[in-house]
Coordinates of all heavy atoms in Angstrom, one line a residue:
K239 N 12.0 13.4 -2.9 CA 13.4 13.2 -2.5 C 13.9 12.0 -3.3 O 13.2 11.0 -3.4 CB 13.6 13.0 -1.0 CG 13.4 14.2 -0.2 CD 13.8 13.9 1.3 CE 13.7 15.1 2.1 NZ 14.1 14.8 3.6
P240 N 15.1 12.0 -3.8 CA 15.6 10.9 -4.5 C 15.6 9.6 -3.6 O 15.4 8.5 -4.1 CB 17.1 11.3 -4.9 CG 17.0 12.8 -4.9 CD 16.0 13.2 -3.8
H241 N 15.8 9.8 -2.3 CA 15.8 8.6 -1.4 C 14.5 7.9 -1.4 O 14.5 6.7 -1.2 CB 16.2 9.1 0.0 CG 17.3 10.0 0.1 ND1 17.2 11.4 -0.1 CD2 18.6 9.8 0.3 CE1 18.4 11.9 0.0 NE2 19.3 11.0 0.3
F242 N 13.4 8.5 -1.7 CA 12.1 7.9 -1.7 C 11.9 6.9 -2.8 O 11.0 6.0 -2.7 CB 11.0 8.9 -1.7 CG 10.9 9.8 -0.5 CD1 10.2 11.1 -0.6 CD2 11.5 9.5 0.7 CE1 10.2 11.9 0.5 CE2 11.5 10.4 1.8 CZ 10.8 11.6 1.7
L243 N 12.7 7.0 -3.8 CA 12.7 6.0 -4.9 C 13.0 4.6 -4.4 O 12.5 3.6 -4.9 CB 13.6 6.4 -6.0 CG 13.3 7.7 -6.7 CD1 14.3 8.0 -7.8 CD2 11.9 7.6 -7.4
A244 N 13.7 4.5 -3.3 CA 14.0 3.2 -2.7 C 12.7 2.6 -2.2 O 12.5 1.4 -2.3 CB 15.0 3.4 -1.5
A245 N 11.8 3.4 -1.6 CA 10.5 2.9 -1.2 C 9.7 2.4 -2.3 O 9.0 1.3 -2.3 CB 9.7 4.0 -0.4
W246 N 9.7 3.1 -3.4 CA 9.0 2.7 -4.6 C 9.5 1.4 -5.1 O 8.7 0.5 -5.5 CB 9.1 3.8 -5.7 CG 8.3 3.5 -6.9 CD1 7.0 3.0 -7.0 CD2 8.6 3.8 -8.3 NE1 6.6 3.0 -8.3 CE2 7.5 3.5 -9.1 CE3 9.8 4.4 -8.9 CZ2 7.6 3.6 -10.5 CZ3 9.8 4.5 -10.3 CH2 8.7 4.1 -11.1
L247 N 10.8 1.2 -5.2 CA 11.4 0.0 -5.6 C 11.0 -1.2 -4.8 O 10.6 -2.3 -5.3 CB 12.9 0.1 -5.6 CG 13.7 -1.2 -6.0 CD1 13.4 -1.6 -7.4 CD2 15.2 -0.9 -5.9
V248 N 11.0 -1.0 -3.4 CA 10.6 -2.1 -2.5 C 9.1 -2.5 -2.7 O 8.8 -3.7 -2.7 CB 10.9 -1.7 -1.1 CG1 10.4 -2.8 -0.1 CG2 12.4 -1.6 -0.9
V249 N 8.3 -1.5 -2.9 CA 6.9 -1.7 -3.1 C 6.6 -2.5 -4.4 O 5.8 -3.5 -4.4 CB 6.1 -0.4 -3.1 CG1 4.7 -0.6 -3.7 CG2 6.0 0.2 -1.7
E250 N 7.3 -2.2 -5.4 CA 7.1 -2.9 -6.7 C 7.7 -4.3 -6.7 O 7.1 -5.2 -7.3 CB 7.7 -2.1 -7.9 CG 7.0 -0.8 -8.2 CD 5.5 -1.0 -8.4 OE1 5.1 -2.1 -9.1 OE2 4.7 -0.2 -8.0
V251 N 8.7 -4.5 -6.0 CA 9.3 -5.9 -5.8 C 8.2 -6.7 -5.0 O 7.9 -7.8 -5.4 CB 10.6 -5.9 -5.1 CG1 11.0 -7.3 -4.7 CG2 11.7 -5.2 -6.0
A252 N 7.6 -6.1 -4.0 CA 6.6 -6.8 -3.2 C 5.4 -7.1 -4.1 O 4.8 -8.2 -4.0 CB 6.2 -6.0 -2.0
A253 N 5.0 -6.2 -4.9 CA 3.9 -6.4 -5.8 C 4.2 -7.5 -6.8 O 3.3 -8.3 -7.1 CB 3.5 -5.1 -6.5
L254 N 5.4 -7.5 -7.3 CA 5.8 -8.6 -8.3 C 5.7 -10.0 -7.6 O 5.2 -10.9 -8.2 CB 7.2 -8.3 -8.8 CG 7.8 -9.3 -9.8 CD1 6.9 -9.3 -11.1 CD2 9.2 -8.9 -10.1
V255 N 6.2 -10.1 -6.4 CA 6.2 -11.3 -5.6 C 4.8 -11.8 -5.4 O 4.4 -13.0 -5.5 CB 7.0 -11.2 -4.3 CG1 6.8 -12.5 -3.5 CG2 8.5 -11.0 -4.6
A256 N 3.9 -10.8 -5.0 CA 2.5 -11.2 -4.6 C 1.6 -11.4 -5.8 O 0.8 -12.3 -5.7 CB 2.0 -10.0 -3.8
R257 N 1.9 -10.7 -6.9 CA 0.9 -10.8 -8.0 C 1.5 -11.3 -9.3 O 0.8 -11.5 -10.3 CB 0.3 -9.4 -8.2 CG -0.4 -8.9 -7.0 CD -0.8 -7.4 -7.1 NE -1.8 -7.3 -8.2 CZ -2.3 -6.1 -8.6 NH1 -2.0 -5.0 -7.9 NH2 -3.2 -6.1 -9.5
G258 N 2.8 -11.5 -9.4 CA 3.4 -12.0 -10.6 C 3.6 -10.9 -11.6 O 3.5 -9.7 -11.3
A259 N 4.0 -11.2 -12.8 CA 4.4 -10.3 -13.8 C 3.3 -9.3 -14.2 O 3.5 -8.2 -14.6 CB 4.8 -11.0 -15.1
R260 N 2.0 -9.7 -13.9 CA 0.9 -8.8 -14.3 C 0.9 -7.5 -13.4 O 0.3 -6.5 -13.8 CB -0.5 -9.5 -14.1 CG -0.7 -10.0 -12.7 CD -1.9 -11.0 -12.7 NE -2.1 -11.5 -11.4 CZ -3.0 -11.1 -10.5 NH1 -3.7 -10.0 -10.9 NH2 -3.1 -11.6 -9.4
S261 N 1.7 -7.5 -12.3 CA 1.8 -6.3 -11.5 C 2.5 -5.2 -12.2 O 2.3 -4.0 -11.9 CB 2.5 -6.6 -10.2 OG 3.9 -6.8 -10.4
W262 N 3.2 -5.5 -13.3 CA 3.9 -4.5 -14.0 C 3.1 -3.8 -15.1 O 3.6 -2.9 -15.8 CB 5.2 -5.1 -14.6 CG 6.2 -5.5 -13.6 CD1 6.3 -6.7 -13.0 CD2 7.2 -4.7 -13.0 NE1 7.3 -6.7 -12.1 CE2 7.9 -5.5 -12.1 CE3 7.7 -3.4 -13.3 CZ2 9.0 -5.0 -11.4 CZ3 8.8 -2.9 -12.5 CH2 9.4 -3.8 -11.6
I263 N 1.9 -4.2 -15.3 CA 1.1 -3.5 -16.3 C -0.1 -2.8 -15.7 O -1.1 -2.5 -16.4 CB 0.6 -4.6 -17.4 CG1 -0.2 -5.7 -16.7 CG2 1.7 -5.1 -18.2 CD1 -0.9 -6.6 -17.6
R264 N 0.0 -2.4 -14.5 CA -1.0 -1.6 -13.8 C -0.9 -0.1 -14.3 O 0.1 0.4 -14.5 CB -0.8 -1.6 -12.3 CG -0.7 -3.0 -11.8 CD -0.6 -3.0 -10.3 NE 0.0 -1.9 -9.6 CZ 1.3 -1.8 -9.2 NH1 2.2 -2.8 -9.6 NH2 1.7 -0.8 -8.6
M265 N -2.1 0.4 -14.6 CA -2.2 1.8 -15.1 C -1.5 2.8 -14.1 O -0.8 3.7 -14.5 CB -3.6 2.3 -15.3 CG -3.7 3.7 -15.8 SD -5.5 4.3 -15.9 CE -6.1 3.2 -17.2
E266 N -1.7 2.6 -12.8 CA -1.1 3.5 -11.8 C 0.4 3.4 -11.8 O 1.1 4.4 -11.6 CB -1.6 3.2 -10.4 CG -1.4 1.8 -9.8 CD -2.6 0.9 -10.2 OE1 -3.3 1.1 -11.2 OE2 -2.7 -0.1 -9.4
L267 N 1.0 2.2 -12.1 CA 2.4 2.1 -12.2 C 3.0 2.8 -13.4 O 4.0 3.5 -13.3 CB 2.8 0.6 -12.3 CG 4.3 0.3 -12.6 CD1 5.2 0.9 -11.5 CD2 4.5 -1.2 -12.7
V268 N 2.3 2.7 -14.5 CA 2.7 3.4 -15.7 C 2.6 4.9 -15.5 O 3.6 5.6 -15.9 CB 1.8 2.9 -16.9 CG1 2.2 3.8 -18.2 CG2 2.0 1.5 -17.2
A269 N 1.5 5.4 -14.9 CA 1.4 6.8 -14.6 C 2.5 7.3 -13.7 O 3.0 8.4 -13.9 CB 0.0 7.1 -14.1
A270 N 2.8 6.5 -12.7 CA 3.8 6.9 -11.7 C 5.2 7.0 -12.4 O 5.9 8.0 -12.3 CB 3.9 6.0 -10.6
A271 N 5.5 6.0 -13.2 CA 6.8 6.0 -13.9 C 6.9 7.2 -14.9 O 7.9 7.8 -15.0 CB 7.0 4.7 -14.7
A272 N 5.8 7.5 -15.6 CA 5.8 8.6 -16.6 C 5.9 9.9 -15.8 O 6.6 10.8 -16.3 CB 4.5 8.5 -17.4
T273 N 5.3 10.0 -14.7 CA 5.4 11.3 -13.9 C 6.9 11.5 -13.4 O 7.4 12.6 -13.5 CB 4.5 11.2 -12.7 OG1 3.1 11.1 -13.2 CG2 4.6 12.5 -11.8
I274 N 7.5 10.5 -12.9 CA 8.9 10.6 -12.5 C 9.8 10.9 -13.6 O 10.7 11.8 -13.5 CB 9.3 9.3 -11.8 CG1 8.5 9.1 -10.5 CG2 10.8 9.3 -11.5 CD1 8.7 7.8 -9.8
A275 N 9.6 10.3 -14.8 CA 10.4 10.6 -16.0 C 10.2 12.0 -16.4 O 11.2 12.7 -16.8 CB 10.1 9.6 -17.1
A276 N 9.0 12.5 -16.5 CA 8.7 13.8 -16.9 C 9.3 14.9 -15.9 O 9.8 15.9 -16.4 CB 7.2 14.1 -17.0
Y277 N 9.3 14.5 -14.6 CA 9.9 15.4 -13.7 C 11.4 15.5 -13.9 O 12.0 16.6 -13.9 CB 9.6 14.9 -12.3 CG 10.5 15.6 -11.2 CD1 10.5 16.9 -11.0 CD2 11.3 14.8 -10.3 CE1 11.3 17.5 -10.0 CE2 12.1 15.4 -9.4 CZ 12.0 16.7 -9.2 OH 12.8 17.3 -8.2
G278 N 12.1 14.4 -14.2 CA 13.5 14.4 -14.4 C 13.9 15.3 -15.6 O 14.8 16.1 -15.6
V279 N 13.1 15.2 -16.7 CA 13.3 16.0 -17.9 C 13.1 17.5 -17.5 O 13.9 18.3 -18.0 CB 12.4 15.5 -19.0 CG1 12.5 16.5 -20.2 CG2 12.8 14.1 -19.5
A280 N 12.0 17.8 -16.8 CA 11.7 19.1 -16.4 C 12.9 19.8 -15.6 O 13.2 21.0 -15.9 CB 10.4 19.2 -15.6

C-alpha cells in the first residue's frame, strides 16, 4: 500500500540517527529501494 512507505521512511530515519550515514549503504536498503522502483515501473 502506498501508505506503508511512511513506515519505511520512519525506519530509515531511525537507522540514520542510530548508525549514521553508513546506514544508507546497506545491501538490504539498496535491494528494497530497487524493488520498489521496479514495481513502480511495472
Side-chain angles (χ1 to χ4, degrees):
K239 285 186 175 181
H241 312 85
F242 296 161
L243 295 176
W246 185 38
L247 176 62
V248 175
V249 165
E250 289 307 322
V251 169
L254 179 64
V255 171
R257 303 173 60 182
R260 60 195 176 96
S261 70
W262 292 89
I263 56 174
R264 306 181 336 264
M265 180 185 292
E266 59 271 24
L267 170 59
V268 174
T273 300
I274 292 171
Y277 167 58
V279 172

